[in-house]
């Protein structure tokens, strides 16, 4: 009989800050924060709009590079503050590389807190007709708010090779590799081989064809301290999510060939996105979250000890059935010596009743946020021990993590039932709260945590907020507050 743990009462609130300006007036797919600067790029229509996180308004717009809708964008990391490089992926099956080299430097996040001049520097545009989007931009209100930076964006390179729509693109932590994935069921890895940062020369170093359906998302494992503490592991590790209901893990073998080292099986619908743990503890290899059309979010963990550590071991990846290699698809003769064992260690409490499109793991607090087709935002927290096995939020039921495929019971309202069961063998995840209709009746396509730099922030660059992107063409910002329900105001997440 499982022990019952009294709940700790916590008040949780997701509070709107303000929408980014202007309204894009068309479906927006995703908003990607810059890794170090107070900027966020939103993919929509045939453009990418870059917003300032200082003013929550448009910084610049990239147009003219694609003939069909832009589905995704990625910032190249590790560039000087006065340089910007962004890749856009489009339904026209190409990826475009853009560079910004303005007359004045992009603001340093550390300086934004102390000077208002830098905020003006990246926002107001005295001459919108001089921008690339300019007078011919599809939406006049968007064009009228463009920044001087628009005229400094240059479309420098087209990466061609995919046979169908590009769904996602992502840079490796070093910036040396770019991964793109497509409806054509493939993942391409590109390497920057230019002699200098200004020399845009990229080559294809791998085409990965083992998925059996559209590849919806790719994500590189972050290069965090302790990642290689327990085993020798290549510097770049890639995860991909697919319409075939699986996640695959890729890395280089000893001969420099990219191979699939694990297939993560368990979802019962399209896997829409994957998200790596940004700040693992105890020298642990980063865990991975995946979200799916089956309405669930699963957490996966690399088994770093025991069987599966050495080359040539026969163990398959997590989820493989007995007598069947999960490394199916197109044969790859270079992968015979590489196998990694990944295990699903938790299914987060049920919060969504339709597809979960996006999940984001906070760098600052470890909180997880999700959103999807039901237009709902859900917020989760992981607890380390049985004493924290159950917490409740004001007005919302909370559940613990489901061990593997255990399904939580529903209450009479169709919401996950509150649970006080202590799971002695694994950590627990609590559903803190949900926010229905975050974008009114529209689907929400993407959610991300990012640092706050707006004027209302108490500590710019040190507080986090949520940013959601939806079919209504609005990019919305949200503050998360958590406090004790029995008196006192909820404190904001820092």
């Amino acid at each position: 009989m499982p022990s019952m743990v009294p709940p700790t009462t916590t008040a949780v609130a997701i509070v709107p800050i303000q929408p980014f300006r202007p309204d894009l007036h068309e479906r927006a797919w995703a908003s990607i924060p810059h890794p170090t600067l107070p900027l966020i790029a939103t993919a929509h229509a045939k453009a990418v709009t870059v917003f300032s996180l200082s003013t929550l308004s448009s910084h610049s717009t990239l147009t003219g590079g694609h003939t069909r809708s832009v589905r995704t964008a990625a910032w190249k990391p590790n560039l000087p503050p006065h340089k910007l490089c962004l890749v856009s992926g489009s339904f026209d099956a190409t990826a475009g590389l853009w560079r910004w080299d303005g007359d004045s430097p992009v603001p340093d996040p550390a300086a934004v807190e102390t000077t208002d001049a830098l905020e003006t520097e990246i926002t107001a545009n005295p001459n919108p007709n001089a921008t690339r989007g300019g007078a011919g931009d599809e939406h006049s209100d968007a064009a009228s708010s463009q920044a001087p930076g628009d005229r400094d964006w240059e479309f420098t390179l087209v990466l061609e090779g995919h046979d169908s729509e590009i769904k996602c693109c992502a840079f490796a932590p070093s910036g040396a590799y770019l991964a793109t994935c497509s409806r054509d069921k493939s993942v391409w890895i590109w390497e920057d081989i230019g002699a200098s940062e200004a020399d845009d020369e990229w080559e294809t170093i791998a085409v990965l064809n083992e998925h059996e359906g559209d590849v919806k998302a790719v994500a590189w494992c972050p290069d965090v301290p302790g990642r290689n503490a327990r085993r020798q592991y290549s510097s770049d590790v890639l995860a991909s999510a697919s319409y075939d209901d699986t996640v695959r893990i890729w890395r280089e073998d000893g001969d420099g060939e990219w191979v699939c080292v694990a297939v993560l099986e368990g979802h019962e619908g399209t896997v829409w996105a994957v998200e790596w743990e940004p700040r693992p503890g105890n020298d642990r290899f980063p865990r991975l979250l995946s979200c799916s059309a089956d309405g669930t979010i699963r957490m996966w963990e690399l088994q770093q000890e025991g069987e599966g550590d050495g080359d040539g071991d026969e163990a398959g990846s997590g989820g493989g059935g007995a007598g069947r290699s999960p490394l199916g698809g197109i044969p790859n003769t270079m992968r015979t010596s590489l196998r990694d064992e990944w295990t699903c260690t938790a299914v987060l409490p049920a919060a969504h009743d339709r597809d979960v499109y996006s999940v984001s793991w906070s760098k600052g607090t470890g909180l997880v946020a999700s959103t999807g087709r039901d237009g709902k935002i859900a917020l989760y927290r992981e607890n380390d021990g049985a004493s924290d096995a159950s917490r409740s939020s004001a007005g919302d039921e909370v559940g613990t993590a489901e061990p593997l495929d255990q399904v939580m019971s529903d209450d009479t309202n169709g919401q996950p039932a509150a649970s006080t069961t202590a799971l002695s063998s694994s950590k627990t995840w609590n559903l803190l709260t949900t926010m229905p209709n975050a974008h009114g009746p529209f689907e929400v396509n993407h959610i991300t945590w990012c640092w706050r730099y707006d004027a209302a922030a108490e500590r710019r660059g040190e507080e986090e907020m949520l940013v959601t992107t939806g079919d209504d063409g609005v990019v919305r910002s949200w503050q998360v507050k958590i406090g004790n329900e029995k008196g006192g105001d909820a404190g904001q997440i820092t």
Side-chain angles (χ1 to χ4, degrees), residues 131-487:
T131 68
R132 189 179 180 109
D137 193 77
E138 184 177 357
H139 302 291
S140 59
D141 58 342
S144 64
S145 65
Q146 300 309 309
D150 281 24
R151 65 175 179 271
D152 297 310
W153 280 107
E154 183 180 0
F155 188 64
T156 62
L157 187 66
V158 177
L159 301 176
E160 298 179 292
H162 283 291
D163 294 329
S164 190
E165 304 164 0
I166 290 180
K167 299 291 190 180
C168 186
C169 59
F171 275 101
S174 65
Y177 296 131
L178 172 74
T180 58
C181 65
S182 170
R183 189 177 180 180
D184 65 12
K185 306 179 184 180
S186 72
V187 176
W188 287 49
I189 299 178
W190 314 77
E191 183 178 12
D192 184 354
I193 59 171
S196 67
E197 191 58 49
D199 182 16
D200 284 324
E201 187 176 357
W202 292 72
E203 71 174 4
T204 308
I205 60 171
V207 177
L208 312 175
N209 290 307
E210 297 187 30
H211 275 296
E212 298 176 359
D214 305 10
V215 188
K216 302 295 187 182
V218 285
W220 293 93
C221 184
D223 190 10
V224 294
R227 201 181 76 167
N228 287 313
R230 296 188 183 181
R231 64 180 291 172
Q232 196 64 33
Y233 217 77
S234 55
S235 58
D236 294 293
V237 181
L238 182 69
S240 59
S242 174
Y243 185 83
D244 65 13
D245 305 348
T246 71
V247 174
R248 289 179 181 259
I249 307 295
W250 312 85
R251 60 185 175 98
E252 286 183 292
D253 66 8
D255 296 322
E257 297 287 335
W258 285 86
V259 297
C260 179
V261 295
V263 178
L264 282 48
E265 297 179 307
H267 281 296
E268 298 178 354
T270 299
V271 184
W272 284 105
V274 282
E275 174 87 351
W276 289 95
E277 182 177 17
R279 197 179 62 180
N282 301 321
D283 292 332
R284 182 180 62 230
F285 193 86
R287 295 171 295 173
L288 186 70
L289 289 174
S290 58
C291 60
S292 169
D294 64 14
T296 69
I297 301 169
R298 288 177 173 258
M299 186 174 72
W300 309 86
E301 189 165 354
L302 174 66
Q303 304 306 296
Q304 299 181 99
E305 298 176 338
E307 292 186 1
D309 277 6
D311 288 349
D313 101 74
E314 297 300 323
S317 62
R324 170 180 175 265
S325 171
L327 295 169
I330 297 176
N332 187 331
T333 58
M334 302 302 295
R335 78 177 172 219
T336 55
S337 64
L338 289 179
R339 294 290 189 275
D340 291 331
E341 184 178 354
W342 286 77
T343 301
C344 179
T345 56
V347 179
L348 273 61
H352 297 277
D353 51 20
R354 304 184 77 177
D355 300 44
V356 185
Y357 287 152
S358 179
V359 61
S360 183
W361 204 329
S362 164
K363 294 179 181 178
T365 64
L367 295 179
V368 167
S370 63
T371 194
R373 191 174 182 182
D374 59 9
K376 185 186 300 181
I377 298 173
L379 192 67
Y380 314 82
R381 176 170 55 193
E382 184 178 24
N383 297 304
D384 290 332
S387 62
D388 292 323
S390 180
R391 300 175 187 261
S392 64
S393 61
D396 288 86
E397 280 87 5
V398 181
T400 61
E402 302 169 275
L404 300 181
D405 294 320
Q406 177 180 334
V407 179
M408 293 174 54
S409 61
D410 290 341
D411 64 14
T412 56
N413 295 320
Q415 297 298 318
S419 171
T420 56
T421 301
L423 301 180
S424 59
S425 62
S426 67
K427 294 185 178 182
T428 60
W429 283 87
N430 295 328
L431 175 61
L432 294 179
T433 191
T434 60
M435 165 71 76
N437 304 315
H439 284 240
F442 296 93
E443 296 183 8
V444 186
N445 296 315
H446 188 261
I447 192 166
T448 186
W449 293 95
C450 67
W451 299 110
R452 290 187 67 177
Y453 295 95
D454 57 285
E458 294 181 4
R459 294 178 299 279
R460 295 186 182 182
E462 298 178 8
E463 301 172 29
E464 286 186 296
M465 66 179 180
L466 286 169
V467 174
T468 55
T469 309
D471 278 0
D472 56 352
V474 180
V475 181
R476 300 184 183 274
S477 58
W478 309 84
Q479 182 181 9
V480 176
K481 295 184 177 182
I482 297 182
N484 197 317
E485 191 181 24
K486 296 183 178 180

